[in-house]
RNA sequence: GCCGCCAUCGUCUAGAGGCCCAGGACAUCACCCUUUCAAGGUGAAGAUCGCGGGUUCGAAUCCCGCUGGCGGUACCA
């Protein structure tokens, strides 16, 4: 069994291709087969050189491996279509020789005109076969002629084509509705239909897994196989990945069309793989008595174990970023502190937080660990540990308090800080907590809400961190150190003082 | 327009004729925990299985029609 991913290098790895790659890789592994990559670069106008590397990078980041490809080599190479051109030309010539294809000299202008007229008559656009059975000289006399011909596949005009889709069951087409497609361009480059069939055959592809958008061109492919007398591979059309508006995920409107976006936004490859896998596979949870309750967290091995084309739901899948984000949070929480630190490092660097060697980093990270849902949030939730940040001074006055009361609380807290800093227990979260409990007592802060105004989301938190939310305050202060805390509290007192009363 | 594919809570899905007046996850809401935010726990709300006809003792599951969504209709892939 051999399966292939056939991306065209048009700029970046589309998330849909990554999805397909996962299905390919898992399916091949499931059946002990081989997974190969073939680069479909026959459309020179859309070719972008860096794109090929982006495809490999993306797949590798996701954790997928392939057995053969342009980079990996293999017995069925070359694996770039641009390096296989003569084969396609030979195949086209052979088809012409068999009478299953013919040269067509119609100019693009004539074809446009023909289609316009057909649409005017409300007929489906279909090539009128003006060139069929004519020599070049005969055709030239008719006008609408261009020097270099294309090759068109001669399709049957009646009857039906039926194939078994491994995901969807039987699918039938009416030949009378189909036109003769171009299979070799006038510049000598093969069109997908020819190139892919020749390659699939020569590379021994046994299972063609491709996106749903290919369903309607399957009869063309069947004709090519039929003309050569080849046996059709197993064909399966996978569901499309859709956007929230139910449309295709497009690069222009949706940045997550690019696989690289997920890395940049701080998603872990394991989380993305898990999410994508969940769209096509159900992993039963042996520990749960209710068989309808699946496991939510699983990896490539479980996907391999449970992948089954017949059980892939054929309907389009709307990409749920919220669910991915939630999954990502779970994967982040399962990371060790060391792993998290490594994962977060590039994001900190990119944000200008060069704190890799700072001993405070692991301690701060430990406090933020369970709060992270994306690695890209790290700079924001960590920055105040390392630098004083600007904040809106009005935040120093919590809801329900006036400036004077806030000032009063902050001054009292400031004295408390001093006594802990010079106290016998030293600067620890436990000492700070005990001290502030006693303070709340003395200030007569009885309800949770009142105490919250002091430290929860209150004056002290804002003074020390510049934020109204964050990790437990006393542990945060311990990591920050007494000097920083005192400096920031004094600063906050000044800002409060300069606020109009 | 024509052809094709698809159709279960907002989203992803479980479901392969009786186990389903439909189960789980995300999101939402409430409560618990918590001197903030999370995380965790408990619970609620949310689907007359797109609509209408069949088949059957029995249909989310099979068949037909309709509607809607998507895809294709290129010298793109």
């Amino acid at each position: 069994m051999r399966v292939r991913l056939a991306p065209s290098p048009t700029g970046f790895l589309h998330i849909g291709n990554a999805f397909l790659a996962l299905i390919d890789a898992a399916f091949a592994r499931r059946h002990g087969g081989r997974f190969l990559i073939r680069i479909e670069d026959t459309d020179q106008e859309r070719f972008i050189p860096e794109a090929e590397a982006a495809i490999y990078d993306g797949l590798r980041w996701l954790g997928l491996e392939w057995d053969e490809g342009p980079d990996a080599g293999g017995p069925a190479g070359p694996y770039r279509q641009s390096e296989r051109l003569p084969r396609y030309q030979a195949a086209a010539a052979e088809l012409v020789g068999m009478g299953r294809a013919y040269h067509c000299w119609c100019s693009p202008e004539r074809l446009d005109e023909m289609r316009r007229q057909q649409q005017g008559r409300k007929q489906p656009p279909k090539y009128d076969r003006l060139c069929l059975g004519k020599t070049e000289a005969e055709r030239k006399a008719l006008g609408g002629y261009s020097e270099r011909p294309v090759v068109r596949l001669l399709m049957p005009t009646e009857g039906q084509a039926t194939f078994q889709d491994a995901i969807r069951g039987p699918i039938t087409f009416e030949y009378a509705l189909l036109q003769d497609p171009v299979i070799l361009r006038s510049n000598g480059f093969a069109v997908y239909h020819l190139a892919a069939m020749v390659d699939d055959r020569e590379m021994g592809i046994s299972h063609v897994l491709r996106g749903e958008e290919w369903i309607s061109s399957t009869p063309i492919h069947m004709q090519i196989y039929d003309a050569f007398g080849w046996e059709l591979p197993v064909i399966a059309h996978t569901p499309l990945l859709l956007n929230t508006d139910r449309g295709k995920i497009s690069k222009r409107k949706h940045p997550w069309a690019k696989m690289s976006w997920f890395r940049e936004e701080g998603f872990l490859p394991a989380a993305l793989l898990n999410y994508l896998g969940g769209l096509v596979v159900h992993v039963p949870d042996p520990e749960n008595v209710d068989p309808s309750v699946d496991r939510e967290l699983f990896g490539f091995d479980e996907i391999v174990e449970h992948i089954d084309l017949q059980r892939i739901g054929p309907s389009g899948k709307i990409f749920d970023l919220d669910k991915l984000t939630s999954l990502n949070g779970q994967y982040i929480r399962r990371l060790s502190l060391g792993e998290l630190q490594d994962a977060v490092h590039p994001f900190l660097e990119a944000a200008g937080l060069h704190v890799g060697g700072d001993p405070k980093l692991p301690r701060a990270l430990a406090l933020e660990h369970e709060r992270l849902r994306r690695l890209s949030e790290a700079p924001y939730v960590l920055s105040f540990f390392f630098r004083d940040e600007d904040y809106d001074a009005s935040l120093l006055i919590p809801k329900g308090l006036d400036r004077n009361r806030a000032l009063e609380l902050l001054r009292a807290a400031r004295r408390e800080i001093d006594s802990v800093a010079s106290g016998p227990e030293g600067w620890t979260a436990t000492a700070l907590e005990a001290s502030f409990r006693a303070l709340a007592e003395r200030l007569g802060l009885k309800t949770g809400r009142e105490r919250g105004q002091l430290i929860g989301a209150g004056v002290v938190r804002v003074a020390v961190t510049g934020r109204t939310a964050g990790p437990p305050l006393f542990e945060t202060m311990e990591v920050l150190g007494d000097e920083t805390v005192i400096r920031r509290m004094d600063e906050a007192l000044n800002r409060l003082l300069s606020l109009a009363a």
Side-chain angles (χ1 to χ4, degrees):
Chain A
M1 112 118 45
R2 291 166 66 82
V3 299
R4 110 263 127 138
L5 180 75
S8 52
T10 53
F12 60 98
L13 179 62
H14 193 278
I15 182 65
N17 267 138
F19 179 48
L20 253 178
L22 169 59
I23 297 172
D24 283 329
F27 188 68
R29 173 78 70 83
R30 172 86 182 91
H31 296 99
R34 285 169 79 80
F35 169 38
L36 52 119
I37 293 180
R38 182 175 71 226
I39 299 293
E40 309 243 329
D41 53 355
T42 59
D43 185 357
Q44 293 295 294
E45 287 171 29
R46 306 206 317 172
F47 177 73
I48 296 174
E50 314 78 57
E52 195 182 311
I55 291 168
Y56 304 142
D57 284 352
L59 293 179
R60 260 191 284 267
W61 176 76
L62 239 201
L64 299 179
E65 293 169 3
W66 49 100
D67 305 299
E68 300 171 31
D71 60 330
Y79 294 90
R80 271 183 211 100
Q81 289 191 328
S82 56
E83 295 166 16
R84 303 173 64 85
L85 264 23
R87 299 160 202 258
Y88 312 139
Q89 283 156 358
E94 204 178 326
L95 286 167
V96 171
M98 289 187 285
R100 299 292 294 258
Y102 57 97
H103 291 286
C104 172
W105 292 270
C106 289
S107 64
E109 295 74 29
R110 180 182 120 74
L111 294 172
D112 280 349
E113 176 57 23
M114 180 195 73
R115 276 191 279 261
R116 226 189 356 263
Q117 285 184 16
Q118 287 168 335
Q119 293 198 340
R121 275 176 271 140
K122 294 225 187 285
Q123 290 174 334
K126 183 169 173 175
Y127 178 59
D128 61 5
R129 291 188 166 175
L130 180 65
C131 298
L132 178 58
K134 294 196 171 62
T135 65
E136 182 172 4
E138 287 168 347
R139 178 60 187 82
K140 193 169 185 174
L142 265 31
Y145 167 92
S146 69
E147 205 64 35
R148 300 195 51 85
V150 300
V151 174
R152 284 184 186 272
L153 187 67
L154 183 67
M155 295 291 284
T157 51
E158 54 185 31
Q160 303 178 319
T162 298
F163 75 98
Q164 281 294 329
D165 188 297
I167 292 176
R168 293 154 204 270
I171 298 179
T172 301
F173 298 88
E174 208 66 51
Y175 277 126
L177 272 2
L178 273 23
Q179 66 170 335
D180 296 341
V182 171
I183 54 175
L184 194 71
R185 299 184 177 93
S186 52
N187 66 5
F189 281 75
V191 164
Y192 171 88
H193 301 307
L194 211 218
M197 294 314 108
V198 169
D199 289 342
D200 282 349
R201 171 66 183 189
E202 291 192 0
M203 295 180 177
I205 302 303
S206 61
H207 293 66
V208 172
L209 313 180
R210 37 142 73 151
E212 190 184 334
E213 70 270 23
W214 290 105
I215 292 179
S216 42
S217 45
T218 307
I220 298 170
H221 306 156
M222 292 169 73
Q223 275 306 116
I224 293 175
Y225 268 81
D226 180 70
F228 286 117
W230 298 337
E231 196 186 331
L232 213 60
V234 173
I235 300 176
H237 291 98
T238 61
L240 255 25
L241 234 35
L242 267 25
N243 200 56
T244 342
D245 59 11
R246 299 201 159 273
K248 280 214 279 195
I249 301 179
S250 78
K251 178 170 68 162
R252 289 195 50 135
K253 279 160 67 185
H254 319 294
W256 49 90
K258 298 191 190 76
M259 244 284 292
S260 52
W261 181 86
F262 293 91
R263 187 191 338 209
E264 289 155 12
E265 288 299 311
F267 290 97
L268 296 172
L272 183 56
L273 197 77
N274 192 151
Y275 176 75
L276 257 15
L279 262 20
V280 290
V281 138
H282 293 101
V283 180
D285 184 354
E287 275 153 41
N288 205 107
V289 282
D290 184 345
S292 74
V293 180
D294 288 335
R295 275 182 63 184
E296 297 294 328
L297 262 50
F298 49 80
F300 186 68
D301 289 347
E302 284 89 352
I303 298 172
V304 168
E305 190 181 340
H306 294 283
I307 193 159
D308 177 357
L309 296 183
Q310 287 185 60
R311 310 228 42 175
I312 292 180
S315 57
K317 278 93 180 67
I318 292 178
F319 200 99
D320 187 347
L321 270 180
D322 280 339
K323 187 156 186 170
L324 205 216
T325 303
S326 159
L327 214 44
N328 201 53
Q330 296 189 60
Y331 273 89
I332 287 178
R333 267 168 255 138
R334 298 170 122 221
L335 255 29
S336 72
L337 195 54
E339 289 167 334
L340 179 62
Q341 193 168 331
D342 290 343
V344 129
H345 185 256
F347 291 90
L348 297 180
E349 287 294 319
L353 277 172
H354 308 292
V355 295
D358 194 314
K360 276 189 303 197
L361 179 60
R363 303 175 69 199
L365 210 44
L367 293 179
E368 297 287 9
H369 196 162
E370 69 184 20
R371 266 158 269 265
L372 281 180
R373 284 150 61 89
R374 297 183 183 189
L375 301 173
S376 54
E377 294 163 350
Y380 176 77
V381 301
L382 251 20
S383 62
F384 67 83
F385 281 102
F386 304 100
R387 60 191 182 204
D388 296 356
E389 291 195 307
D390 194 26
Y391 57 91
D392 185 346
S394 66
L395 290 177
L396 287 164
I397 307 171
K399 275 197 198 74
L401 297 189
D402 59 18
R403 191 196 72 140
N404 289 342
R405 177 63 172 160
L407 211 43
E408 200 179 318
L409 292 180
L410 197 51
R411 281 190 174 125
R414 174 68 179 81
R415 285 192 292 274
E416 211 60 36
I417 294 289
D418 264 339
S419 74
V420 175
S422 56
E425 268 190 76
W427 187 257
T428 66
T430 349
L432 285 162
E433 180 164 2
S435 165
F436 271 81
R437 269 187 198 286
L439 172 65
E441 206 57 44
R442 270 182 276 128
L443 289 170
L445 305 177
K446 294 205 171 58
T447 66
R449 181 177 141 82
E450 286 169 343
R451 291 168 173 177
Q453 289 168 339
L454 208 217
I455 47 183
V459 222
V460 181
R461 177 180 295 279
V462 174
V464 170
T465 69
R467 311 274 170 83
T468 53
L473 185 58
F474 303 117
E475 292 167 68
T476 302
M477 293 202 290
E478 182 186 310
V479 172
L480 246 15
D482 52 356
E483 262 179 58
T484 303
V485 170
I486 288 169
R487 183 181 68 251
R488 288 185 184 175
M489 287 194 74
D490 287 341
E491 171 67 15
L493 277 167
N494 286 335
R495 298 188 65 176
L496 211 41
L497 245 10
S498 62
L499 270 184

